[in-house]
């Protein structure tokens, strides 16, 4: 049976902005944005500002990249983010091509007390990488990947999508953990943690960081590693974009076969209780090469269950997956395939422009009570485009000590995600679908402890975030206070500095 677009951000939901992207960039002409007129803008704390035309023109003249204003060619390409439910208009977009551009943009935002958003791959689910009325630093022109096959390391620029990173490293038979949708950005994913098909074998993307170059709120470019600016290096591994703009990531790579094994294995939704119990028991003892994403999705005909199966060792894959196949799936697409193709296999279900609302939490084991609650919820759900998802952790993720990086939840066995999707132009559908996720996650939250900061929802509270970082929180506040004392970098899972002005 052919796989369908099961994540089901219902048919036709995608993608006002998907198509023209590459072509629009290619066609871009230099900005007309060296405007001499004054420009109204929004400040760091939401206050109204007026930016002087001469200041804007001076910034524009100093950049190697472009400074774009509303109406300029390329402005819409930058301001659009993956989640089509956010339609925001920054006053200025700095399309940066190098560190000097980023330093100037950060200095401009700080000196003018401007609201600032930083966009790497544009996949912030809560739309943090674009803002109304402030400045957006768009890093998407910066996409180089330099692999050192001998040292098994890679230097990656912050606008690079995961698929480009995978392609470059796999050319040399190498890879490191990257997420499961290839157009997601390396930058945001790594700074918040970074789960993916290889994480049970090689830990999180952030655990494979060897160093970063980062521009902090004072406009200084710093190198942070295990030897230099150690506190900052600790913070960027799980603390998100709180401390500055990362201009370069240095990753540890691993020898990784270019042919692996994987694909979707599907069952009717009527078997969800049985399948969740099987999944719990099966993943508890699974090989670290195996990564099984479990989804219950609502499609027009009802629910279906999709397990995105992945095995990093194709010789053992069929044997290891045999117990799952004995359950007689109605879809079975799992087979040996290039790793770079498997890394793209989910893309069709998450196109640019999808409008979604998501809430997530970590679980320590999937209890019978949680299975009952999810089954009861999904059995009564008719809303197409809703889904419940378990993502497996464990293995190497859990072997890193809790205090080694800012990422805290090493003992979680799975992430639990609730997501709803709708047509971005349909305001009523947006309200209904968001409410589905909020209300039902609230009912399930008692089974969770902490959440993934990269899945933070726009309405998550500071208190939820503080308790999320647990014993690492105070140390994060210290790092934040040192490198961003006035909370310039606030559009993220925000850690407020002490005594911010
Ligand atoms: C379709 C989809 C699939 C996903 N799959 C996975 C997955 O498999 N595994 C996983 O772990 N997560 C996954 N995520 C979540 C993902 O990790 C986050 O959405 C992440 O923030 C995306 O990074 P980005 O660079 O694309 O996002 P952006 O929207 O560009 O950035 C998000 C935030 O990161 C910060 N940021 C970005 N670039 C920089 C920089 N250079 N310096 C400092 N701060 C920066 C900013 O605070 C920004 O607001 C997925 C998200 C989506 C939408």
């Amino acid at each position: 049976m052919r796989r369908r677009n099961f994540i089901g951000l219902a048919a036709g939901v995608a993608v006002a902005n998907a198509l023209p992207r590459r072509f629009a960039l290619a066609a871009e002409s230099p900005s007309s944005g060296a405007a001499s007129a004054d420009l109204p803008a929004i400040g760091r704390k939401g206050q109204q500002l007026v930016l002087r035309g001469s200041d804007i023109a001076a910034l524009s003249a100093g950049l190697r990249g472009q400074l774009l204003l509303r109406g300029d060619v390329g402005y819409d390409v930058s301001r659009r983010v993956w989640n089509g439910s956010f339609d925001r208009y920054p006053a200025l977009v700095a399309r940066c091509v190098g560190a000097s551009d980023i330093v100037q943009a950060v200095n401009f935002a700080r000196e003018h007390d401007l609201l600032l958003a930083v966009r790497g791959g544009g996949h912030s689910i809560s739309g943090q990488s674009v803002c109304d009325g402030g400045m957006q630093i768009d890093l998407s022109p910066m996409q180089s990947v330099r692999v050192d096959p001998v040292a098994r390391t890679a230097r990656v620029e912050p606008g690079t999508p995961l698929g480009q990173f995978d392609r470059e490293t796999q050319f040399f038979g190498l890879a490191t953990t990257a997420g499961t949708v290839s157009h997601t950005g390396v930058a945001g994913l790594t700074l918040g943690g970074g789960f993916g098909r290889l994480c049970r074998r090689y830990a999180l993307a952030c655990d494979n960081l060897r160093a970063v170059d980062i521009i902090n709120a004072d406009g200084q470019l710093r190198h942070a590693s295990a030897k230099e600016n150690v506190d900052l290096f600790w913070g960027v591994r799980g603390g998100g974009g709180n401390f500055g703009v990362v201009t370069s990531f240095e990753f540890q790579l691993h020898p990784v076969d270019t042919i692996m094994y994987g694909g979707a294995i599907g069952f009717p939704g009527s078997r969800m209780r049985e399948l969740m119990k099987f999944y719990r028991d099966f993943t508890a003892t699974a090989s670290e090469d195996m990564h099984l994403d479990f989804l219950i999705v609502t499609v027009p005909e009802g629910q279906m269950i999709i397990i995105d199966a992945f095995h990093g060792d194709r010789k053992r894959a069929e044997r290891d997956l045999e117990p799952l196949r004995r359950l007689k799936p109605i879809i079975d697409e799992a087979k040996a395939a290039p790793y770079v193709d498997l890394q793209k296999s989910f893309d069709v279900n998450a196109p640019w422009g999808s409008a979604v609302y998501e809430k997530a939490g970590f679980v320590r084991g999937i209890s019978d009570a949680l299975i009952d609650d999810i089954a009861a919820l999904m059995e009564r759900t008719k809303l197409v485009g809703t889904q419940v998802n378990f993502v497996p952790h464990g293995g190497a993720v859990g072997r890193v000590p809790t205090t080694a990086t800012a990422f805290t939840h090493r003992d979680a066995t799975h992430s639990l995600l609730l997501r709803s999707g709708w047509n971005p132009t349909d305001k009523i559908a947006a309200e209904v679908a968001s409410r589905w996720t909020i209300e039902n996650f609230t009912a399930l939250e008692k089974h969770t402890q902490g959440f993934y900061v990269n899945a933070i929802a726009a309405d998550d509270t500071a208190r939820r975030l503080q308790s999320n970082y647990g014993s690492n929180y105070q140390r994060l506040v210290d790092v934040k206070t040192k490198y961003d004392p006035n909370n310039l970098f606030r559009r993220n899972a925000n850690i407020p500095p002490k005594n911010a002005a």
Side-chain angles (χ1 to χ4, degrees):
M1 189 187 285
R2 255 182 69 74
R3 176 150 59 133
R4 49 185 303 162
N5 186 345
F6 54 78
I7 292 188
L9 308 171
V13 166
V15 201
N17 55 358
L19 286 180
R21 189 172 162 71
R22 182 169 299 172
F23 302 105
L25 287 178
E28 241 162 40
S29 60
S31 152
S32 62
S36 53
D38 293 352
L39 192 67
I42 304 289
R44 185 173 51 102
K45 294 183 173 170
Q47 76 277 23
Q48 304 282 335
L49 299 174
V50 176
L51 300 172
R52 285 219 307 267
S54 54
D55 290 349
I56 297 169
L59 174 63
S60 179
L63 297 182
R64 285 205 296 135
Q66 295 170 296
L67 188 69
L68 302 177
L69 276 62
R70 193 167 177 166
D72 286 342
V73 174
Y75 171 88
D76 281 334
V77 176
S78 288
R79 76 175 184 87
R80 285 199 181 119
V81 289
W82 175 86
N83 190 341
S85 66
F86 297 102
D87 185 24
R88 293 183 174 143
Y89 291 82
L92 301 171
V93 175
R95 270 176 59 83
C96 298
V97 299
S100 65
D101 284 353
I102 302 171
V103 169
Q104 292 175 76
V106 166
N107 286 341
F108 186 93
R110 186 191 63 251
E111 285 158 11
H112 293 82
D113 204 19
L114 255 183
L115 182 63
L116 180 63
V118 179
R119 179 194 198 278
H123 278 53
S124 162
I125 295 165
S126 52
Q128 306 286 348
S129 44
V130 63
C131 58
D132 273 326
M135 173 189 270
Q136 182 193 47
I137 291 183
D138 177 9
L139 302 164
S140 58
M142 299 175 67
Q143 299 199 3
S144 83
V145 179
R146 179 184 179 275
V147 174
D148 180 337
V150 177
R152 292 180 182 157
T153 58
R155 273 183 192 279
V156 183
E157 282 195 311
T160 309
L162 297 173
Q164 303 295 331
F165 183 27
D166 279 334
R167 276 178 60 178
E168 197 66 29
T169 56
Q170 276 280 272
F171 187 81
F172 300 98
L174 301 167
T176 197
T177 303
T180 53
V181 172
S182 77
H183 43 70
T184 312
V186 169
L189 178 128
T190 303
L191 293 170
F195 293 95
R197 295 182 174 97
L198 297 181
C199 72
R200 287 168 44 75
R201 171 60 67 200
Y202 297 117
L204 300 173
C206 75
D207 298 327
N208 287 284
L209 264 186
R210 293 165 50 96
V212 294
D213 290 342
I214 180 168
I215 293 160
N216 303 115
D218 59 2
Q220 295 299 309
L221 174 65
R222 294 183 174 85
H223 188 69
S225 68
K227 295 201 176 120
E228 240 176 299
N229 297 305
V230 176
D231 52 353
L232 191 51
F233 187 54
W234 177 86
V236 296
R237 289 174 294 161
N242 266 289
F243 313 106
V245 185
V246 174
T247 65
S248 172
F249 295 83
E250 186 184 330
F251 285 97
Q252 183 66 57
L253 305 175
H254 310 274
V256 165
D257 211 338
T258 54
I259 306 293
M260 299 201 179
Y261 194 96
I265 297 185
F267 299 87
S270 55
R271 297 178 67 185
M272 66 178 87
R273 285 172 196 268
E274 170 203 353
L275 263 296
M276 273 190 277
K277 286 188 177 155
F278 172 85
Y279 175 79
R280 170 191 57 200
D281 299 340
F282 193 51
T283 52
T285 56
S287 150
E288 290 183 5
D289 288 317
M290 194 137 82
H291 185 274
L292 302 180
D293 240 320
F294 184 99
L295 294 114
I296 306 172
V297 297
T298 312
V299 293
E301 301 82 11
Q303 262 80 31
M304 61 187 298
I305 294 158
I306 296 290
I307 297 178
D308 178 54
F310 170 82
H311 203 301
D313 182 344
R314 69 179 188 278
K315 295 192 200 82
R316 282 181 19 233
E318 302 230 326
R319 191 191 68 202
D320 286 358
L321 285 168
E322 215 268 324
L324 180 59
R325 286 193 157 128
R326 242 184 278 138
L327 299 176
K328 301 201 182 329
I330 53 170
I331 296 171
D332 188 347
E333 297 178 341
K335 59 179 191 299
Y339 175 62
V340 289
D341 291 351
L342 293 173
Q343 282 287 83
K344 287 190 285 194
S345 60
F346 245 48
D347 291 10
V348 65
N349 302 303
W352 269 87
S354 305
V356 303
Y357 183 91
E358 182 175 294
K359 278 242 190 247
F362 291 119
V363 298
R364 275 86 180 148
I366 301 174
S367 66
D368 284 345
L370 175 56
I371 290 174
D372 282 345
D373 285 353
I374 291 174
L377 157 65
M378 292 310 273
E379 281 161 3
R380 67 171 185 268
T381 292
K382 304 267 182 291
L383 192 61
V384 172
T386 52
Q387 62 172 268
V388 174
N389 183 191
F390 284 114
V391 179
H393 309 335
V397 179
R399 285 195 290 274
V400 178
T402 305
T403 52
T405 67
F407 182 89
T408 306
H409 298 277
R410 298 289 175 177
D411 57 339
T413 57
H414 299 82
S415 282
L416 167 68
L417 294 93
L418 261 65
R419 184 183 268 195
S420 38
W422 61 91
N423 185 319
T425 59
D426 187 340
K427 293 270 180 289
I428 295 170
E431 169 65 27
V432 171
S434 310
R435 203 166 351 102
W436 182 89
T437 299
I438 292 168
E439 288 176 3
N440 291 306
F441 187 80
T442 303
L444 293 177
E445 197 171 4
K446 60 177 182 283
H447 299 285
T448 69
Q449 190 193 329
F451 67 98
Y452 182 28
V453 292
N454 276 355
I456 194 166
D459 57 348
D460 272 323
T461 58
R463 182 133 42 93
R464 189 168 186 242
L465 190 66
Q466 178 168 350
S467 63
N468 186 47
Y469 278 112
S471 54
N472 282 339
Y473 184 72
Q474 199 45 54
R475 199 167 160 193
L476 277 162
V477 172
D478 292 344
V479 182
K480 176 76 174 177
T481 307
K482 181 169 166 189
Y483 293 100
D484 183 18
N486 288 322
N487 207 4
L488 179 63
F489 301 105
R490 58 178 53 213
R491 293 193 57 80
N492 42 46
N494 194 235
I495 297 160
K498 277 182 230 154
N499 311 319

